[in-house]
Amino acid sequence: MRIDKLLAGLNFGTRTEIKKDIRAGLVKVNGILIRQPDYQVTPAKDTVSYRDIPIIYTEYEYYLLNKPAGYVSATRDNVYPTVMELLTDTVRPDLFPVGRLDVDTEGLLLITNDGQLSHFLLSPKRHVDKVYFARIAGLVTPEDTATFLEGVDIGEAAPTLPAKLEILSIDADSATSEIRITLHEGKFHQIKRMFQAVGKEVTYLKRIAMGSLVLDESLPPGGYRHLTAEETAALKEHMPL
Ligand code: URA
């Protein structure tokens, strides 16, 4: 494979920019400076560095991040730091978060450069389960559970899809509740809007699972790790080839 194609494919720049950088002597292969944009490399065998940063070439990468509050689920933002800034030991410029958690929501976020898997997991047709833990201001009732199971009017054209609401604990003194909720879709601020519709307020929200992927509770907020091969395979299990 041509070195300029490899680097452009990893989004280090446009093909023209990369060619210029190669000619300027910014790229080494197996420690030796090369200046030919058509220089042939074997990604699995050769060690390539760009501006002296070693490039680890695997086609796709998958990270499980425990998102802390205060970070936005995007690759760029003008106001908040992005979740991408938490991934400090990868130089891949083509990673992105799969779906969005609100800036104050914590928990499981998959970060990858696999557009096909992202599309599959987020497709409204697939109804991939998303499980959240939440603290609620207000006493959640069995009637709320029934309402959520029927679908809630949150001001959109159609009510929400049936959601499973489990009451974990209720504290009558502080009038607060802890719940687990399973959604099969991902509308903007969905859980907050569902509780608003029944007169309550979400005060803390954390995603604990998406499809087969479960938050690794040993990751501190802001911590991340590669998915295991088993986790990746399980996520892709029903993906069309
Ligand atoms: N529902 C919300 O209200 N916020 C999130 O971040 C995710 C689901």
Side-chain angles (χ1 to χ4, degrees), residues 3 29 54 59 83 90 98 105 116 118 123 129 139 145 168 176 190 199 201 207 220 236:
I3 184 74
V29 178
E59 192 174 10
V83 290
T90 171
V98 175
T105 301
Q116 211 191 340
S118 167
S123 164
D129 286 6
L139 296 176
T145 301
L168 302 176
T176 57
Q190 180 161 345
E201 193 197 343
R207 182 155 65 188
K236 291 183 178 179

Side-chain angles (χ1 to χ4, degrees), residues 2-22 26-27 48-59 61 76 89-95 113:
R2 286 174 62 120
I3 184 74
D4 58 350
K5 192 168 175 215
L6 173 82
L7 293 171
L10 291 169
N11 278 345
F12 280 95
T14 63
R15 197 84 171 251
T16 313
E17 288 163 348
I18 303 261
K19 280 183 182 165
K20 221 169 101 198
D21 286 352
I22 294 171
L26 296 179
V27 175
V48 177
S49 67
Y50 178 67
R51 296 178 189 267
D52 281 329
I53 300 169
I55 310 295
I56 316 283
Y57 183 81
T58 47
E59 192 174 10
E61 290 200 15
R76 277 177 203 191
D89 65 2
T90 171
V91 292
R92 281 199 85 123
D94 56 350
L95 295 167
N113 59 332

Side-chain angles (χ1 to χ4, degrees), residues 100-102 105 132 183 187 189-193 205:
R100 279 187 163 251
L101 291 177
D102 294 342
T105 301
Y132 295 81
L183 298 185
K187 295 198 162 78
H189 293 334
Q190 180 161 345
I191 297 174
K192 292 173 184 162
R193 289 159 74 198
L205 188 58

Side-chain angles (χ1 to χ4, degrees), residues 161-177:
L161 290 177
K164 182 174 163 198
L165 171 59
E166 298 162 85
I167 303 170
L168 302 176
S169 68
I170 311 224
D171 183 348
D173 292 339
S174 60
T176 57
S177 316

Side-chain angles (χ1 to χ4, degrees), residues 159-221:
T160 58
L161 290 177
K164 182 174 163 198
L165 171 59
E166 298 162 85
I167 303 170
L168 302 176
S169 68
I170 311 224
D171 183 348
D173 292 339
S174 60
T176 57
S177 316
E178 292 189 335
I179 61 98
R180 185 164 44 224
I181 181 165
T182 306
L183 298 185
H184 308 285
E185 58 187 339
K187 295 198 162 78
F188 183 62
H189 293 334
Q190 180 161 345
I191 297 174
K192 292 173 184 162
R193 289 159 74 198
M194 289 172 82
F195 277 99
Q196 242 169 30
V198 293
K200 289 159 191 126
E201 193 197 343
V202 174
T203 55
Y204 174 81
L205 188 58
K206 177 178 181 178
R207 182 155 65 188
I208 50 181
M210 181 171 70
S212 57
L213 190 60
V214 177
L215 180 64
D216 180 340
E217 295 285 352
S218 73
L219 288 173

